[in-house]
Amino acid sequence: GPAFALDLIRQLTPALAVLQQSQPCIAHGALTVDRIVVAREGRLVVVEQVLGSALALLKLPASRLRSDLGLAVPNGADPIALDAKLDVVQLGFIALSLALGRRLQPAEYPSRIRATLDEFTRADAATSAKLRTWLERALQVGPRGFANAKEANEAFLELMAAPTPKPATPA
């Protein structure tokens, strides 16, 4: 649900930022629900962090990354760059899936992502009032997408520090 989605963002975004800042051009590249493990104490751990660099060498088209590996990747010129921006897309995709309480299919990104965000807004107006803009930026919906996890983390920290807006109520 939404609380777990917020916790996922709170824990994983700074971890991705550290990974991305460890070396130039480093990214996970293959972040999915299956690569996030919940430790006994409730801490989230990202596994297979070296998989993305190996996958990049294969130069697979977006269709294969979606169907064979379950990755949320954009449409565009193949091969898809498994970079820092894509890490944030994948994190946003997982967070949206958790917020909705159902597993999203990689084929839903990017073609159905706006409709899925609308579904989240209808399902949980209170949380979506605070989180939707962050999710839109993470998922690269609109002109101000996050370039990397550090930028996404800074925006998330600002979001959590801001007062929660009241959801709009019908007249």
Side-chain angles (χ1 to χ4, degrees), residues 21 35 41 56-57 80 82 95 98 113 120 131 147 154 160 167:
Q21 292 173 342
R35 292 187 183 92
E41 68 278 1
L57 295 175
I80 298 297
L82 302 177
L98 289 171
I113 208 65
F120 168 58
L131 189 56
E154 289 168 355
M160 292 293 96

Side-chain angles (χ1 to χ4, degrees), residues 127-146:
T127 304
S128 69
K130 194 165 198 172
L131 189 56
R132 177 158 178 153
T133 301
W134 188 94
L135 286 169
E136 287 174 345
R137 291 185 68 194
L139 293 163
Q140 305 299 312
V141 175
R144 294 184 43 235
F146 297 124

Side-chain angles (χ1 to χ4, degrees), residues 73-94:
V73 295
N75 294 324
D78 289 326
I80 298 297
L82 302 177
D83 59 10
K85 184 184 275 190
L86 186 60
D87 280 351
V88 179
V89 167
Q90 292 168 350
L91 174 66
F93 190 76
I94 294 165

Side-chain angles (χ1 to χ4, degrees), residues 14-28 49-50 150:
L16 279 176
V18 169
L19 173 70
Q20 292 172 0
Q21 292 173 342
S22 67
Q23 293 286 324
C25 302
I26 294 290
H28 188 287
Q49 68 273 15
V50 296
K150 180 178 186 252

